[in-house]
Short mmCIF file of all heavy atoms in Angstrom, two decimals:
data_model
loop_
_atom_site.label_atom_id
_atom_site.label_comp_id
_atom_site.label_asym_id
_atom_site.label_seq_id
_atom_site.Cartn_x
_atom_site.Cartn_y
_atom_site.Cartn_z
N ASN A 215 -8.99 3.83 -15.43
CA ASN A 215 -7.75 4.42 -14.81
C ASN A 215 -7.61 3.81 -13.31
O ASN A 215 -6.47 3.51 -12.97
CB ASN A 215 -7.78 5.85 -14.75
CG ASN A 215 -7.61 6.47 -16.13
OD1 ASN A 215 -7.05 5.90 -17.05
ND2 ASN A 215 -8.09 7.67 -16.27
N VAL A 216 -8.68 3.80 -12.69
CA VAL A 216 -8.68 3.17 -11.23
C VAL A 216 -8.31 1.73 -11.18
O VAL A 216 -7.43 1.34 -10.51
CB VAL A 216 -9.95 3.43 -10.47
CG1 VAL A 216 -10.13 2.71 -9.20
CG2 VAL A 216 -10.17 4.93 -10.18
N ILE A 217 -8.89 1.00 -12.08
CA ILE A 217 -8.60 -0.44 -12.13
C ILE A 217 -7.15 -0.64 -12.63
O ILE A 217 -6.48 -1.50 -12.08
CB ILE A 217 -9.56 -1.24 -13.05
CG1 ILE A 217 -10.92 -1.06 -12.43
CG2 ILE A 217 -9.16 -2.69 -13.25
CD1 ILE A 217 -12.14 -1.53 -13.32
N HIS A 218 -6.69 0.04 -13.56
CA HIS A 218 -5.30 -0.03 -14.06
C HIS A 218 -4.37 0.21 -12.93
O HIS A 218 -3.30 -0.46 -12.81
CB HIS A 218 -5.05 0.83 -15.21
CG HIS A 218 -3.65 0.66 -15.85
ND1 HIS A 218 -2.51 1.48 -15.52
CD2 HIS A 218 -3.32 -0.14 -16.70
CE1 HIS A 218 -1.46 1.09 -16.25
NE2 HIS A 218 -1.90 0.04 -16.99
N ASP A 219 -4.61 1.26 -12.15
CA ASP A 219 -3.78 1.58 -10.89
C ASP A 219 -3.86 0.46 -9.86
O ASP A 219 -2.70 0.22 -9.37
CB ASP A 219 -4.23 2.93 -10.27
CG ASP A 219 -3.90 4.14 -11.11
OD1 ASP A 219 -3.03 4.01 -12.07
OD2 ASP A 219 -4.39 5.15 -10.84
N CYS A 220 -4.91 -0.23 -9.75
CA CYS A 220 -4.97 -1.32 -8.84
C CYS A 220 -4.19 -2.46 -9.38
O CYS A 220 -3.44 -3.13 -8.62
CB CYS A 220 -6.47 -1.78 -8.59
SG CYS A 220 -7.41 -0.60 -7.72
N LEU A 221 -4.16 -2.67 -10.65
CA LEU A 221 -3.50 -3.84 -11.32
C LEU A 221 -1.94 -3.53 -11.03
O LEU A 221 -1.20 -4.42 -10.82
CB LEU A 221 -3.81 -4.00 -12.74
CG LEU A 221 -5.10 -4.71 -12.98
CD1 LEU A 221 -5.47 -4.47 -14.48
CD2 LEU A 221 -5.00 -6.07 -12.57
N LEU A 222 -1.53 -2.29 -11.29
CA LEU A 222 -0.17 -1.90 -11.06
C LEU A 222 0.29 -2.15 -9.69
O LEU A 222 1.40 -2.57 -9.34
CB LEU A 222 0.09 -0.49 -11.47
CG LEU A 222 0.05 -0.16 -12.90
CD1 LEU A 222 0.17 1.27 -13.20
CD2 LEU A 222 1.05 -0.95 -13.69
N THR A 223 -0.54 -1.94 -8.67
CA THR A 223 -0.34 -2.09 -7.29
C THR A 223 -0.13 -3.58 -7.02
O THR A 223 0.66 -3.93 -6.30
CB THR A 223 -1.47 -1.56 -6.44
OG1 THR A 223 -1.57 -0.23 -6.72
CG2 THR A 223 -1.09 -1.72 -4.87
N HIS A 224 -1.00 -4.43 -7.63
CA HIS A 224 -0.92 -5.86 -7.45
C HIS A 224 0.14 -6.53 -8.10
O HIS A 224 0.54 -7.70 -7.89
CB HIS A 224 -2.31 -6.49 -7.65
CG HIS A 224 -3.21 -6.26 -6.69
ND1 HIS A 224 -3.28 -6.64 -5.32
CD2 HIS A 224 -4.44 -5.55 -6.71
CE1 HIS A 224 -4.34 -6.15 -4.75
NE2 HIS A 224 -5.00 -5.56 -5.55
N GLY A 225 0.74 -5.95 -9.09
CA GLY A 225 1.74 -6.56 -9.94
C GLY A 225 1.25 -7.48 -10.87
O GLY A 225 0.08 -7.45 -11.38
N HIS A 226 2.10 -8.49 -11.38
CA HIS A 226 1.68 -9.39 -12.33
C HIS A 226 0.57 -10.47 -11.93
O HIS A 226 -0.14 -10.91 -12.64
CB HIS A 226 2.99 -10.25 -12.85
CG HIS A 226 3.45 -11.28 -11.75
ND1 HIS A 226 4.24 -10.97 -10.66
CD2 HIS A 226 3.25 -12.59 -11.66
CE1 HIS A 226 4.53 -11.92 -10.03
NE2 HIS A 226 3.88 -12.97 -10.49
N ILE A 227 0.39 -10.53 -10.55
CA ILE A 227 -0.78 -11.41 -10.03
C ILE A 227 -2.04 -10.85 -10.43
O ILE A 227 -3.04 -11.50 -10.83
CB ILE A 227 -0.61 -11.52 -8.51
CG1 ILE A 227 0.50 -12.25 -8.16
CG2 ILE A 227 -1.93 -12.03 -7.89
CD1 ILE A 227 0.37 -13.77 -8.38
N GLY A 228 -2.22 -9.51 -10.52
CA GLY A 228 -3.46 -8.84 -10.86
C GLY A 228 -3.87 -9.16 -12.27
O GLY A 228 -5.15 -9.12 -12.62
N TYR A 229 -2.99 -9.56 -13.17
CA TYR A 229 -3.31 -9.84 -14.58
C TYR A 229 -3.64 -11.26 -14.75
O TYR A 229 -4.13 -11.67 -15.82
CB TYR A 229 -2.10 -9.50 -15.54
CG TYR A 229 -2.12 -7.95 -15.73
CD1 TYR A 229 -1.02 -7.36 -14.99
CD2 TYR A 229 -2.91 -7.27 -16.55
CE1 TYR A 229 -0.90 -5.85 -15.21
CE2 TYR A 229 -2.71 -5.95 -16.77
CZ TYR A 229 -1.74 -5.24 -16.00
OH TYR A 229 -1.72 -3.92 -16.18
N SER A 230 -3.54 -12.11 -13.68
CA SER A 230 -3.93 -13.51 -13.85
C SER A 230 -5.40 -13.73 -13.95
O SER A 230 -6.14 -12.94 -13.38
CB SER A 230 -3.32 -14.42 -12.82
OG SER A 230 -4.00 -14.19 -11.56
N GLU A 231 -5.84 -14.72 -14.54
CA GLU A 231 -7.36 -14.96 -14.65
C GLU A 231 -8.02 -15.34 -13.31
O GLU A 231 -9.13 -15.29 -13.18
CB GLU A 231 -7.74 -16.03 -15.64
CG GLU A 231 -7.41 -15.52 -17.14
CD GLU A 231 -7.74 -16.58 -18.16
OE1 GLU A 231 -8.27 -17.67 -17.81
OE2 GLU A 231 -7.48 -16.32 -19.32
N ASP A 232 -7.18 -15.79 -12.39
CA ASP A 232 -7.64 -16.17 -11.11
C ASP A 232 -8.12 -14.88 -10.18
O ASP A 232 -8.87 -15.00 -9.31
CB ASP A 232 -6.63 -16.87 -10.28
CG ASP A 232 -6.28 -18.23 -10.97
OD1 ASP A 232 -7.28 -18.72 -11.62
OD2 ASP A 232 -5.19 -18.75 -10.76
N HIS A 233 -7.50 -13.78 -10.57
CA HIS A 233 -7.79 -12.50 -9.83
C HIS A 233 -8.91 -11.74 -10.39
O HIS A 233 -9.00 -11.64 -11.67
CB HIS A 233 -6.48 -11.65 -9.82
CG HIS A 233 -6.36 -10.83 -8.52
ND1 HIS A 233 -6.95 -9.70 -8.51
CD2 HIS A 233 -5.71 -11.05 -7.41
CE1 HIS A 233 -6.63 -9.09 -7.27
NE2 HIS A 233 -5.86 -9.97 -6.55
N PRO A 234 -9.87 -11.21 -9.56
CA PRO A 234 -10.96 -10.55 -10.19
C PRO A 234 -10.63 -9.23 -10.81
O PRO A 234 -11.56 -8.80 -11.65
CB PRO A 234 -12.01 -10.34 -9.03
CG PRO A 234 -11.10 -10.44 -7.84
CD PRO A 234 -9.94 -11.27 -8.25
N LEU A 235 -9.54 -8.63 -10.65
CA LEU A 235 -9.19 -7.30 -11.24
C LEU A 235 -9.05 -7.51 -12.73
O LEU A 235 -9.48 -6.54 -13.49
CB LEU A 235 -7.98 -6.82 -10.67
CG LEU A 235 -8.07 -6.21 -9.28
CD1 LEU A 235 -6.68 -5.75 -8.75
CD2 LEU A 235 -9.01 -5.02 -9.28
N GLU A 236 -8.60 -8.51 -13.28
CA GLU A 236 -8.40 -8.84 -14.63
C GLU A 236 -9.75 -8.79 -15.36
O GLU A 236 -9.90 -8.14 -16.47
CB GLU A 236 -7.62 -10.18 -14.84
CG GLU A 236 -7.33 -10.41 -16.33
CD GLU A 236 -8.44 -11.31 -16.92
OE1 GLU A 236 -9.13 -11.96 -16.31
OE2 GLU A 236 -8.41 -11.43 -18.27
N GLY A 237 -10.70 -9.43 -14.78
CA GLY A 237 -12.06 -9.36 -15.37
C GLY A 237 -12.70 -7.95 -15.37
O GLY A 237 -13.42 -7.58 -16.24
N ARG A 238 -12.45 -7.29 -14.28
CA ARG A 238 -13.07 -5.95 -14.18
C ARG A 238 -12.49 -4.95 -15.15
O ARG A 238 -13.22 -4.14 -15.66
CB ARG A 238 -12.80 -5.34 -12.64
CG ARG A 238 -13.34 -6.14 -11.58
CD ARG A 238 -14.84 -6.10 -11.54
NE ARG A 238 -15.44 -6.87 -10.39
CZ ARG A 238 -15.77 -8.02 -10.57
NH1 ARG A 238 -15.83 -8.71 -11.71
NH2 ARG A 238 -16.32 -8.68 -9.44
N LEU A 239 -11.17 -5.15 -15.52
CA LEU A 239 -10.57 -4.30 -16.50
C LEU A 239 -11.15 -4.69 -17.85
O LEU A 239 -11.51 -3.73 -18.48
CB LEU A 239 -9.12 -4.51 -16.46
CG LEU A 239 -8.27 -3.61 -17.44
CD1 LEU A 239 -8.43 -2.18 -17.14
CD2 LEU A 239 -6.86 -4.12 -17.64
N ARG A 240 -11.43 -5.97 -18.15
CA ARG A 240 -12.02 -6.28 -19.42
C ARG A 240 -13.35 -5.65 -19.47
O ARG A 240 -13.82 -5.11 -20.52
CB ARG A 240 -12.01 -7.69 -19.61
CG ARG A 240 -10.75 -8.29 -20.14
CD ARG A 240 -10.90 -9.68 -20.59
NE ARG A 240 -10.93 -10.55 -19.28
CZ ARG A 240 -11.82 -11.48 -19.12
NH1 ARG A 240 -12.88 -11.52 -19.94
NH2 ARG A 240 -11.85 -12.16 -17.94
#
């Protein structure tokens, strides 16, 4: 839930493989 909220804050950039949040969510 926390990582998903961070991704929503960062927008579509958060879902790119260059950003560490995408890996943390996986």
Side-chain angles (χ1 to χ4, degrees):
N215 289 338
V216 168
I217 295 169
H218 187 264
D219 289 344
C220 290
L221 284 170
L222 291 176
T223 302
H224 288 297
H226 71 280
I227 288 289
Y229 287 100
S230 70
E231 289 183 5
D232 298 334
H233 209 275
L235 285 175
E236 183 263 342
R238 300 291 182 262
L239 182 64
R240 278 189 285 122

